Amino acid sequence: MDKITILTEPVLTKKELLIKNIKHILFILKRLISGQSSFVLPPKKQPYGGHFAVTRSLTEGLKKLGADFNYNPKRVSGINENVVVLSNTEALKQCITLKNQQKIKKLLAGPNLFILPSDCKELITDPAVDICIVNSLWNEKVYIEDSPELTGKTAIWPAGVDTGYFNPKKPADERKYVMIYEKNGPGDLIAQCKDFLRSSGYSTLTVRFGSYSVREFSENLQNSKVSVFFSRSESQGIALAEAWASDVPTLVWNPGVYTLYENTGRAKTVNVSSAPYLTAETGLFFRDFESFKEVFSEWESSPGAFNARRWVIENMSDELCAAKLTKLIHGGEQA
């Protein structure tokens, strides 16, 4: 099977690498001359570039599959013939050039390059790009509506979840809380739902998007019976899948529309989903306070009817999602 390269940044040429090394040597010499310590630690590099969860899932999934791949090689010569540019438009520009030079056989781009393809249409619609990766069905429809040139060139691929890390360490009867996940929902509705839960005898804990670590989120999930998610739109919803892997079903506010580039000349209202992979096994949708009370009552009366973790194991583990991407690369071959 052909080798794969995953990119989230451009790869330095020999000349660029030489210049970088010379600059570092000059920096050390400057410190020596000024009497400072010559021992300089380079800045610590994050293990996963681009969208952390997406890059982590794909690289770890490929490792578990035993796939032959590399991630952000140090030299252009290390770029394999099949390339997936997850993020970074400069990396995509570089790969388009290499594809045109016949140094790349197949080039996939996405899903974390832009909000809409028209943000960099000259790149994503370039003939050198074989497949534009999107996270979900609604995402694909919006992309094609925005840039019809992508018709027939898109493929849906969701990232996976580490089902070993996100798992139900506590039995359901030992979990005390209803988790409220706040991303960008309406404050009045969130307050109504919290008041209802508390008046119904439930304790709540609140998790706010962008203000927690992976460890903190996992620990909160271990203490949660069910989670109520407030997000206007999710191209995939990785936090949702992490909850499901922890066997926490989700009740999801789903307004169905979202305005991109709001308050600008490019404002565009599109049909979206707040949980494109939600199923009867993983949770329920609601639109307003009245429907929230209905779905909460439905969960309350039959919490055992949900099989959130089983759904993730069967559909969205790191290994399964990595295998789906290798099939896209190899035209339907088994991973």
Side-chain angles (χ1 to χ4, degrees), residues 88 115 142 168 239:
N88 195 302
I115 297 174
V142 169

PDB file of all heavy atoms in Angstrom, residues 88 115 142 168 239:
ATOM      1  N   ASN A  88      -3.782  24.587   7.175  1.00  0.00           N
ATOM      2  CA  ASN A  88      -2.686  25.453   6.741  1.00  0.00           C
ATOM      3  C   ASN A  88      -2.660  25.612   5.214  1.00  0.00           C
ATOM      4  O   ASN A  88      -2.232  24.724   4.479  1.00  0.00           O
ATOM      5  CB  ASN A  88      -1.334  24.917   7.230  1.00  0.00           C
ATOM      6  CG  ASN A  88      -0.235  25.961   7.105  1.00  0.00           C
ATOM      7  OD1 ASN A  88       0.032  26.463   6.025  1.00  0.00           O
ATOM      8  ND2 ASN A  88       0.403  26.287   8.214  1.00  0.00           N
ATOM      9  N   ILE A 115     -13.434  28.409   6.613  1.00  0.00           N
ATOM     10  CA  ILE A 115     -14.846  28.306   6.990  1.00  0.00           C
ATOM     11  C   ILE A 115     -15.675  27.933   5.770  1.00  0.00           C
ATOM     12  O   ILE A 115     -16.451  26.986   5.787  1.00  0.00           O
ATOM     13  CB  ILE A 115     -15.339  29.624   7.612  1.00  0.00           C
ATOM     14  CG1 ILE A 115     -14.567  29.912   8.911  1.00  0.00           C
ATOM     15  CG2 ILE A 115     -16.840  29.555   7.905  1.00  0.00           C
ATOM     16  CD1 ILE A 115     -14.876  31.265   9.522  1.00  0.00           C
ATOM     17  N   VAL A 142     -23.227  22.849   2.118  1.00  0.00           N
ATOM     18  CA  VAL A 142     -22.883  24.269   2.175  1.00  0.00           C
ATOM     19  C   VAL A 142     -21.675  24.565   1.297  1.00  0.00           C
ATOM     20  O   VAL A 142     -21.629  25.577   0.591  1.00  0.00           O
ATOM     21  CB  VAL A 142     -22.632  24.701   3.635  1.00  0.00           C
ATOM     22  CG1 VAL A 142     -22.008  26.090   3.699  1.00  0.00           C
ATOM     23  CG2 VAL A 142     -23.936  24.684   4.425  1.00  0.00           C
ATOM     24  N   PRO A 168     -16.388   5.070  30.213  1.00  0.00           N
ATOM     25  CA  PRO A 168     -17.156   5.204  31.465  1.00  0.00           C
ATOM     26  C   PRO A 168     -16.452   4.529  32.638  1.00  0.00           C
ATOM     27  O   PRO A 168     -16.626   3.336  32.881  1.00  0.00           O
ATOM     28  CB  PRO A 168     -18.480   4.514  31.126  1.00  0.00           C
ATOM     29  CG  PRO A 168     -18.144   3.530  30.056  1.00  0.00           C
ATOM     30  CD  PRO A 168     -17.019   4.146  29.263  1.00  0.00           C
ATOM     31  N   ALA A 239     -16.551  17.083  20.730  1.00  0.00           N
ATOM     32  CA  ALA A 239     -16.861  17.040  22.169  1.00  0.00           C
ATOM     33  C   ALA A 239     -18.084  16.159  22.428  1.00  0.00           C
ATOM     34  O   ALA A 239     -18.157  15.462  23.449  1.00  0.00           O
ATOM     35  CB  ALA A 239     -17.091  18.446  22.702  1.00  0.00           C
TER      36      ALA A 239
END
